[in-house]
Amino acid sequence: AAWRGDTGDIVYASEELMAEKDRFMQIRAQFPVGLKNREFLVFYQPKINLKDNSIAGAEALSRWYRNGTLMMPTEYISDLEQTMDICKLDFYVLEQVCRDLRRWLDEGRQAVRISVNFSRRHLINLALTESILEVVDRYRIPHELIEIELTETVTDVEFRDLKRVAGALQEAGIYTSVDDFGIGYSSLNLIREIPWNILKVDKNFLPVNENAEGERQNIMFRHVVSMAKEIGLICVAEGVETIGQVNILRKCGCDLAQGFYYDKPLPVKEFEERLDKHFYTNT
Ligand code: C2E
Ligand code: MG
Ligand code: MG
Ligand code: MG
């Protein structure tokens, strides 16, 4: 197939690429409508305190309820990052989180810290921290109840912005976490140079049930946890799926666990039931 591209040149592409472009254009065109019609939902995945099995917090994850089906973030996040629309979505999620937190506080529920993913696309925004605080303060949310998760894969230029943003958020008492630790490019540099409160170890680096092949993986995990703890970071294991993993996490001194073993990301009503129960009974 052929069409005229952005530069006016004729572009030739395979059917596959055409279908991909179609899909992208659809997401791009439907996003403003979806946002306006409140098609984006916030799901909450609990984070469990490994010491006493209580709910320590949750991660807010978006879902797009579109044409009768629930679209997962992997189907739209990277497209929205290309167009910068992701910034609008992240603030929409933050606002919904603050609204829910405000309601939980008003209802006398025990509020827990909620984390929101913020794309690296925000980093060029010099007013980012002010904009986040504007939302949080408008709902009168204590700053320590909000955590901003920033992913570790950033370019050199973004690195400086990341340092500035993480510092400013921390100064304001908002928690910051480095997401997906282990799978990026400059992990150690990032830990050394940037102030964080929380380290989220990616599921690919979690301990596996003890066996010969798992040994190296488990040793690495144990040392990542002790490094994090010694420099004063809260350590979260994400993608925890088995009791075997939970046992090793405890032995390693990991603080919090998040994963299907405890719960999938939950619609708000179901999450509220967990909040009220407060303790998990598995293990
Ligand atoms: P993430 O921030 O690393 O979030 C954790 C992802 O791991 C979630 O996928 C969650 O459902 C999944 N997960 C949790 N526990 C387990 C487990 O035990 N096993 C396995 N296999 N997976 C588990 P989800 O919800 O599909 O989100 C994917 C990614 O999309 C997120 O990764 C996050 O980076 C991004 N994302 C989601 N919502 C938003 C958003 O509103 N804004 C931005 N900027 N990114 C978002
Ligand atoms: Mg995350
Ligand atoms: Mg993330
Ligand atoms: Mg992650």
Side-chain angles (χ1 to χ4, degrees):
W3 74 91
R4 211 166 274 282
D6 295 337
T7 53
D9 299 330
I10 304 275
V11 179
Y12 296 90
S14 65
E15 294 305 314
E16 234 169 273
L17 206 68
M18 288 289 284
E20 169 54 26
K21 192 175 161 88
D22 266 7
R23 197 195 52 76
F24 172 70
M25 297 301 274
Q26 264 192 35
I27 296 274
R28 186 180 176 166
Q30 291 180 17
F31 174 76
V33 184
L35 201 62
K36 189 165 150 281
N37 294 345
R38 311 191 68 84
E39 290 171 2
F40 287 91
L41 307 175
V42 176
F43 277 41
Y44 292 96
Q45 188 175 35
K47 297 177 196 172
I48 286 79
N49 187 332
L50 285 162
K51 286 215 177 65
D52 64 1
N53 271 349
S54 63
I55 293 199
E59 175 171 10
L61 293 154
S62 63
R63 305 284 183 259
W64 189 351
Y65 190 73
R66 180 166 156 256
N67 307 329
T69 56
L70 208 56
M71 266 172 80
M72 299 302 279
T74 42
E75 299 173 68
Y76 55 81
I77 294 287
S78 67
D79 292 330
L80 298 183
E81 283 190 323
Q82 276 195 58
T83 60
M84 295 295 277
D85 279 333
I86 190 68
C87 299
K88 289 185 192 138
L89 177 63
D90 291 347
F91 271 102
Y92 181 88
V93 171
L94 176 67
E95 177 122 12
Q96 186 57 49
V97 163
C98 288
R99 200 176 292 137
D100 286 336
L101 271 168
R102 183 70 259 156
R103 190 165 46 77
W104 297 331
L105 291 167
D106 290 344
E107 292 167 351
R109 285 195 157 97
Q110 188 178 349
V112 292
R113 182 177 304 132
I114 307 293
S115 61
V116 180
N117 291 281
F118 264 66
S119 164
R120 62 198 185 97
R121 293 294 185 211
H122 290 279
L123 294 175
I124 55 158
N125 175 5
L126 288 170
L128 178 60
T129 304
E130 286 78 2
S131 302
I132 290 173
L133 287 173
E134 187 278 316
V135 179
V136 172
D137 290 340
R138 182 150 42 83
Y139 288 89
R140 294 171 292 115
I141 307 300
H143 291 183
E144 69 272 14
L145 289 181
I146 300 291
E147 171 184 336
I148 303 296
E149 294 193 12
L150 296 156
T151 192
E152 67 159 83
T153 305
V154 292
T155 64
D156 285 351
V157 180
E158 287 169 325
F159 189 91
R160 260 180 293 132
D161 294 325
L162 185 57
K163 193 169 173 174
R164 176 178 47 76
V165 168
L169 286 171
Q170 218 175 39
E171 197 140 305
I174 303 270
Y175 276 64
T176 55
S177 49
V178 51
D179 200 0
D180 308 328
F181 179 75
I183 60 167
Y185 294 103
S186 56
S187 339
L188 289 176
N189 201 26
L190 215 81
I191 301 302
R192 187 183 57 194
E193 301 296 327
I194 294 178
W196 303 101
N197 300 104
I198 298 160
L199 183 91
K200 298 194 76 181
V201 182
D202 189 78
K203 50 183 164 296
N204 284 297
F205 281 87
L206 254 46
V208 289
N209 290 338
E210 240 125 9
N211 58 37
E213 305 91 80
E215 207 182 298
R216 180 188 289 233
Q217 175 110 353
N218 293 3
I219 293 169
M220 287 174 68
F221 178 79
R222 181 153 42 86
H223 286 278
V224 166
V225 173
S226 55
M227 174 195 71
K229 307 238 26 182
E230 277 190 54
I231 56 180
L233 306 182
I234 298 168
C235 198
V236 183
E238 54 175 5
V240 177
E241 292 181 350
T242 68
I243 177 67
Q245 287 178 314
V246 171
N247 291 332
I248 307 172
L249 295 178
R250 282 218 179 85
K251 260 198 266 173
C252 294
C254 184
D255 300 295
L256 310 181
Q258 172 186 348
F260 296 167
Y261 176 69
Y262 292 101
D263 264 317
K264 293 204 168 107
L266 303 167
V268 64
K269 284 281 162 275
E270 279 176 59
F271 177 65
E272 286 169 2
E273 288 167 21
R274 304 297 195 280
L275 263 184
D276 293 344
K277 263 176 68 184
H278 198 67
F279 289 100
Y280 277 73
T281 46
N282 37 355
T283 64

